[in-house]
Each structure stands twice: as C-alpha cells, then as structure tokens.
Amino acid sequence: MPGLRKLVAAGAILRAHAAARAAYAKLERDPAFLKPLRYDALRVEDFDALVLPGGHRAAGMRTYLESSVLHAFVADMADAGKPFAAICHGVVVAARARSPRTGRSVLYGRKTTSLTWRQERLAWSLGRIVRFWDPNYYRSYVEAPGEPDGARGVQAEVTAALASPSDYLDVPATDPDARAKLDGRRRDSLADPRPAFVVRDGDYVSARWPGDVHAFATAFADVLAHASSAARAGTSAQPR
C-alpha cells in the first residue's frame, strides 16, 4: 500500500532483507524448485537429511503443517537416524511427526527452539497495524474465544510435544548478546552470527526465525559433515 515503504521500523522487523528477497527470486527460477516432489513420493532411502522450513500464512502452508503423509515421512527419517533440521513453523511439522515405534513426537526427548511466542506476538501486534486489512496475517492459528493468548502459538504446540517443558529453549538472560537476539530487528550473517539463536541436539538442529538462518545453516552443515565422516568411518556417532 502507498506509504508502507516509509515505515522503516516495521519493515526492519517484518520484511525480508533485500539480499534474501533477491535470493528467493533466484530460487523461483530454479528448475528443481519449480517441480517439487509430492509428499507421497518421498522415500527415506532417497535422502541423506531433511530440512523443514518455516512460514505462516503463505499459500499451501496449512497443507504443509497438517499433512499426515509428510508427518509420517519426517518420523521415518528421524527413526532411520537421518539428520534433520527445522526452523520457525517448520518445528511444528517435526512436533506433529510421531514415531510409529513410540507413538511420540520425534522431538520427544530432544532439546529444541522454534518461533517463540514473544516473536509471534510482536509480529502479530505490528501486523494488526501495518496490515490492518488482514490483522491475523502473522498467525497460522488463532486462539478460540476464551483461550489465552499464545495457546495456539508455535511455542505452545512445540512445548507440548516435548518430554519436559524445560527442553524448550530460548535465549538465556545471561547471554552477552541477548539484546541483539531478542530485539526483533537484527539478523545474523555469515560474518556475524551474534543475533542468532540456534539449538543443536545430536543430529537435530532448530532455530527461531529468518534472523537465525546463517547460523542455522552453518550448524546443520557441520552436522552433515560429521555424519558423512562417521559414515565413512563406519560409526554412528552423533555430534553434540
């Protein structure tokens, strides 16, 4: 809408950076991206690892979050010991993926983070102002009447899938870079990972939002390198 480009403060929090928008435009022209596989065509033996990206109200997002076929594939990948990673709403997919062996989420017994309620609430609050014509744009699920704020948020659902609420991790107050990680404006880069918050638990890596992506990718690349090295050595050791 006219004038929104001048809302620098809101844009710094809600809008992808120019480099990210350019990278996505390039991705949209990639032949593989334009011919995605159906969820029911995915086979564990065809993949070495899995990354679950995020999103909120984009077209097809509910299908992604709610697909029982995808949930089964994610569970099979985890049960097969394949490294996997999830960021933002992608952690919801992992939380909903239940192992046929245990009947529990593949995140049960793991440490994780995700889009936090603090972040989701901030985007929601700003969105109700700068996107007043679509006030729930930044919420994939909205609380029913009588439910407390955050009851349908990412953090609440992910936490419910864990062995203990203490397994859900957020930036500790003692972190020397806590302000950069929590203010919602600063995003990491390959040269400066300080604004990022990433959790690594064995062969699983999680992160909160696009502001963590460089550290998230770097951590998962390290997991993959370790897995490749272990495979060549004939071991199954997992990094911590």
Side-chain angles (χ1 to χ4, degrees):
M1 292 185 66
L4 287 187
R5 289 182 178 273
K6 297 181 180 180
L7 294 178
V8 178
I13 296 173
L14 300 175
R15 185 175 65 181
H17 288 183
R21 298 196 300 274
Y24 190 79
K26 182 179 179 180
L27 178 69
E28 288 182 305
R29 299 190 295 272
D30 187 278
F33 181 81
L34 296 174
K35 294 182 179 180
L37 297 175
R38 291 173 54 92
Y39 294 151
D40 58 12
L42 304 178
R43 300 291 180 268
V44 171
E45 59 269 20
D46 293 336
F47 300 93
D48 295 320
L50 174 68
V51 175
L52 298 168
H56 44 89
R57 288 274 299 282
M61 197 64 197
R62 283 286 190 95
T63 301
Y64 169 64
L65 294 175
E66 298 172 1
S67 171
S68 60
V69 177
L70 180 58
H71 298 162
F73 174 71
V74 174
D76 288 345
M77 287 287 287
D79 281 351
K82 301 291 182 78
F84 69 109
I87 185 169
C88 199
H89 282 69
V91 186
V92 171
V93 180
R96 293 177 177 180
R98 294 187 173 273
S99 167
R101 294 188 297 104
T102 66
R104 292 170 170 164
S105 168
V106 299
L107 297 184
Y108 191 90
R110 298 179 187 264
K111 304 289 187 183
T112 191
T113 191
S114 71
L115 181 72
T116 66
W117 173 237
R118 184 178 190 274
Q119 292 174 311
E120 193 170 356
R121 180 175 55 193
L122 175 60
W124 189 30
S125 298
L126 288 173
R128 283 183 284 187
I129 298 172
V130 301
R131 292 186 64 90
F132 56 86
W133 63 95
D134 186 10
N136 293 323
Y137 177 76
Y138 289 102
R139 299 295 308 279
S140 292
Y141 301 97
V142 179
E143 289 73 30
E147 291 183 323
D149 283 354
R152 299 296 178 98
V154 172
Q155 180 175 342
E157 179 168 354
V158 171
T159 301
L162 305 180
S164 168
S166 63
D167 287 339
Y168 186 92
L169 303 182
D170 198 357
V171 180
T174 55
D175 191 308
D177 298 309
R179 178 173 293 184
K181 297 177 189 298
L182 294 171
D183 67 10
R185 294 183 298 106
R186 282 170 277 192
R187 306 184 186 201
D188 78 340
S189 67
L190 288 176
D192 184 11
R194 289 176 299 173
F197 181 69
V198 174
V199 174
R200 178 173 172 176
D201 187 342
D203 58 1
Y204 169 62
V205 176
S206 59
R208 304 168 303 167
W209 73 306
D212 299 335
V213 292
H214 294 87
F216 173 71
T218 299
F220 196 50
D222 188 58
V223 168
L224 297 179
H226 188 280
S228 178
S229 176
R232 289 196 300 270
T235 67
S236 60
Q238 296 180 353
R240 281 285 176 183

